Amino acid sequence: MRRSVGREGRRSSPARLFLLLSIVALAIGVGGIGKKSASIAWGQELTAAFAAELTFAPSLSLSAGRFTLQLGASLRDVVFRSQTQFGLLALDSQLFSLTLDVGDLSVTDRLLFLDVLVFQRNELRAELSSKERAFRLAAEAILEELGPPGPDINPGLVVEAGVRSALGVGLTSVTGFGVVRVVEDLETVLPCLPLEVGCLDGPRPDDRPDRLVVAPFVFTEEAVQLDLRRGPVTLAATPIFTLGGFTRLLLDVSLFVTGPVEVRFFARSTLDSLLLLVRQDVMLQVVRDPVAWRAVTRFAGVPLVFEEQTVKLAVNVRGFHAFSAVIFDLGGLTELRVGLGFRF
């Protein structure tokens, strides 16, 4: 495995060099457009990030682990990200993400390949929202390979509509066609860049539901969320329906306190169709520059028993990042991740 890790490490150098050369080329091209003041403004809006992460098995050996290389760059309202993941012998997956913001409209495309660029999933999302977020409209079209055996690419569509009153009451409808788990964060499909505090849960980002495509392309799920915001506290109730009727209820409570020490708490209770508690997720995050810490604990079953806990620590000093994560289940340690990155 040492030889394999060395090969991936050597691959990261050309990728990093390519990113730097691309940034230089962009800066040169931008410098030749318009006046000097305009070129300075563009240069100030250009940012980039690089990160590498190693994943260890419980034995702290890389024999069953992986190496992840992440690159990101943004220029004005355009953000590009690339995540390449290597296993023991070869490439495991490649993720490309491109986001464009134009006024109140945001468009994001994510393209995921497995193995040697074998298509796995594509997500195209467009979202329109007011600056005060009084209303929000969004649509997400998904194509996903559900095989083997054989090629089996299936479509999915999620339509979202939400409004919020001046009193802090919000109502959101999320409808899935050929898609399940439209509002639930149960299983990671597309990890996000670990350099961001919002992604401290590693491969389980909290800012995106883990929507899964299923066949055939028909109505599959409807979630209606009613929430109330009062200062730092938000309460929400989300019943979920399928063609068979009511299936489960999500009850959320969150607390977000800002200041020199930023504290975020979130708890979600999942009740089944008989209103029995079958799942409990609890997240606690504390950020005190330059350190950020997060713990996510999951309980499941009837009665509830401990299922998994993820603890992540990140340190950011002048654009240099160091981060680590440990994941436990009932059997003990299941995964250890360590990484380094920088932003410029």
Side-chain angles (χ1 to χ4, degrees):
M1 182 58 196
R2 292 181 181 177
R3 182 172 60 86
S4 176
V5 171
R7 182 176 70 248
E8 271 72 72
R10 289 192 293 271
R11 288 180 180 175
S12 66
S13 296
R16 178 181 172 187
L17 178 60
F18 174 76
L19 175 65
L20 293 175
L21 291 177
S22 300
I23 293 172
V24 171
L26 281 172
I28 294 174
V30 167
I33 299 176
K35 298 180 180 180
K36 181 178 180 180
S37 59
S39 64
I40 291 176
W42 277 58
Q44 291 174 342
E45 294 177 6
L46 175 62
T47 60
F50 164 84
E53 185 177 71
L54 285 174
T55 300
F56 298 85
S59 62
L60 300 185
S61 167
L62 277 172
S63 60
R66 60 184 182 273
F67 172 75
T68 304
L69 174 66
Q70 304 202 13
L71 304 172
S74 64
L75 179 61
R76 284 195 170 183
D77 298 323
V78 180
V79 179
F80 171 78
R81 293 175 181 171
S82 169
Q83 176 177 284
T84 308
Q85 194 167 88
F86 301 91
L88 174 63
L89 300 176
L91 177 72
D92 275 354
S93 65
Q94 173 66 60
L95 169 67
F96 296 107
S97 173
L98 184 67
T99 300
L100 173 64
D101 294 322
V102 181
D104 295 335
L105 177 65
S106 178
V107 180
T108 300
D109 187 66
R110 290 178 172 88
L111 185 59
L112 177 65
F113 298 94
L114 299 182
D115 300 325
V116 185
L117 298 183
V118 176
F119 174 81
Q120 176 62 29
R121 182 179 172 108
N122 185 62
E123 301 177 0
L124 178 61
R125 176 182 176 84
E127 179 175 331
L128 178 65
S129 61
S130 65
K131 294 182 179 179
E132 298 79 14
R133 297 193 69 82
F135 76 90
R136 180 172 62 89
L137 299 174
E140 182 173 341
I142 307 173
L143 288 175
E144 184 166 5
E145 171 60 69
L146 300 183
D152 187 19
I153 298 178
N154 284 265
L157 176 67
V158 179
V159 180
E160 306 174 34
V163 294
R164 182 170 301 281
S165 72
L167 298 177
V169 178
L171 180 64
T172 303
S173 169
V174 184
T175 308
F177 300 89
V179 180
V180 296
R181 298 180 180 176
V182 294
V183 294
E184 294 166 280
D185 190 16
L186 300 180
E187 179 179 319
T188 298
V189 178
L190 303 177
C192 61
L193 198 68
L195 294 184
E196 301 173 358
V197 173
C199 301
L200 272 178
D201 195 22
R204 297 174 177 82
D206 295 320
D207 57 343
R208 285 185 58 82
D210 298 314
R211 295 165 173 171
L212 303 182
V213 174
V214 295
F217 182 77
V218 296
F219 167 78
T220 47
E221 205 165 79
E222 169 72 24
V224 181
Q225 182 182 83
L226 178 66
D227 67 80
L228 173 64
R229 293 181 183 176
R230 282 290 183 268
V233 179
T234 301
L235 304 176
T238 310
I240 299 175
F241 305 88
T242 64
L243 286 174
F246 172 72
T247 59
R248 57 197 182 278
L249 173 66
L250 310 180
L251 298 176
D252 301 344
V253 56
S254 62
L255 171 69
F256 182 40
V257 180
T258 60
V261 179
E262 178 184 291
V263 178
R264 186 186 299 269
F265 171 82
F266 174 81
R268 164 169 287 176
S269 302
T270 302
L271 286 70
D272 64 10
S273 59
L274 299 177
L275 299 183
L276 296 176
L277 183 62
V278 296
R279 181 184 172 93
Q280 182 68 53
D281 297 281
V282 179
M283 184 272 287
L284 177 62
Q285 174 179 294
V286 180
V287 179
R288 178 65 169 93
D289 287 336
V291 179
W293 175 88
R294 171 181 286 188
V296 179
T297 308
R298 178 177 303 157
F299 302 87
V302 181
L304 290 178
V305 295
F306 172 79
E307 183 178 85
E308 186 181 83
Q309 183 178 59
T310 300
V311 180
K312 188 155 189 177
L313 178 69
V315 180
N316 174 19
V317 179
R318 295 183 179 180
F320 177 81
H321 302 256
F323 43 91
S324 65
V326 289
I327 302 178
F328 302 91
D329 62 12
L330 280 174
L333 178 68
T334 62
E335 190 171 283
L336 168 65
R337 301 194 306 271
V338 294
L340 296 173
F342 63 87
R343 185 188 301 270
F344 56 91

